[in-house]
Amino acid sequence: LGRFRSSFSFFFVLFFFFFKQKTAYEISACLVGSEMCIRDSVFLTYVISQSEKIWLYRNCEAFLFPSEGEGFGLPVVEAMQFGKAVFAANRTSLPEVCNGHAIMWEHLDTESMVQSIREHLPDFYKDKERLEKIKEYAASFSYEKHIQAYLDLYRELAQLP
């Protein structure tokens, strides 16, 4: 899904899991990438398979993507396909790709990000209509659709029938 870069102030890709234990919730994070300081409830996976990635998307509570150097932002679309809460940096292509269907972080400092998660996540899954719109939006992305758009553009530029 991503990799760590020394210029980033935070992790590149995070999946958050909430495990119910008695009366409290334990928060765990799964980091996908390489070389990282590991804390008690953080699991570092390094490279993962496609089936592991699907399991993470399906079972996470939220997908956090504080990228400052994203090309397109396919991981946020993938998370949206599963109807997950997406938190992403308001940088590069991410605002356009998320198109109002994610909680965007203006500041990537830990305190601001944590505050945003605490503010938006508790009620996120209560709005079923919003969840359906997110899934519909994510479903509009497909390789076939984008390949066809490029072919149509090339035909137009070359003035071919």
Side-chain angles (χ1 to χ4, degrees):
L1 288 178
R3 57 191 157 135
F4 297 110
R5 297 181 185 167
S6 59
S7 62
F8 285 10
S9 61
F10 202 73
F11 314 125
F12 195 67
V13 176
L14 293 173
F15 293 88
F16 264 96
F17 297 90
F18 294 84
F19 298 104
K20 194 170 185 178
Q21 291 189 343
K22 298 185 182 175
T23 59
Y25 284 88
E26 175 188 333
I27 299 173
S28 295
C30 178
L31 307 176
V32 179
S34 62
E35 295 183 30
M36 186 70 200
C37 172
I38 302 173
R39 297 199 176 150
D40 291 342
S41 61
V42 176
F43 306 96
L44 185 61
T45 65
Y46 297 100
V47 178
I48 61 172
S49 69
Q50 186 68 14
S51 62
E52 290 169 323
K53 181 170 73 166
I54 290 169
W55 187 93
L56 288 169
Y57 280 130
R58 186 171 285 134
N59 292 286
C60 71
E61 188 71 18
F63 181 75
L64 314 181
F65 202 63
S67 174
E68 290 184 306
E70 188 53 36
F72 175 74
L74 190 57
V76 297
V77 173
E78 291 173 336
M80 288 178 190
Q81 288 175 336
F82 287 89
K84 296 303 177 173
V86 172
F87 293 81
N90 196 13
R91 311 269 196 291
T92 66
S93 64
L94 292 173
E96 183 178 355
V97 171
C98 293
N99 195 29
H101 297 287
I103 293 91
M104 305 306 292
W105 286 318
E106 290 296 327
H107 306 286
L108 298 181
D109 61 279
T110 305
E111 187 175 313
S112 297
M113 293 167 69
V114 167
Q115 176 60 33
S116 177
I117 294 166
R118 287 182 176 150
E119 180 182 334
H120 295 100
L121 190 57
D123 294 328
F124 182 84
Y125 294 101
K126 293 178 182 176
D127 187 346
K128 301 300 180 192
E129 185 177 328
R130 178 183 185 184
L131 292 175
E132 285 308 310
K133 286 181 181 178
I134 289 170
K135 288 180 187 179
E136 287 174 20
Y137 174 72
S140 73
F141 288 87
S142 72
Y143 289 112
E144 293 81 12
K145 180 180 176 180
H146 287 89
I147 289 169
Q148 188 60 51
Y150 275 113
L151 290 173
D152 292 345
L153 175 64
Y154 294 144
R155 284 188 188 105
E156 182 181 324
L157 292 173
Q159 297 180 351
L160 297 173

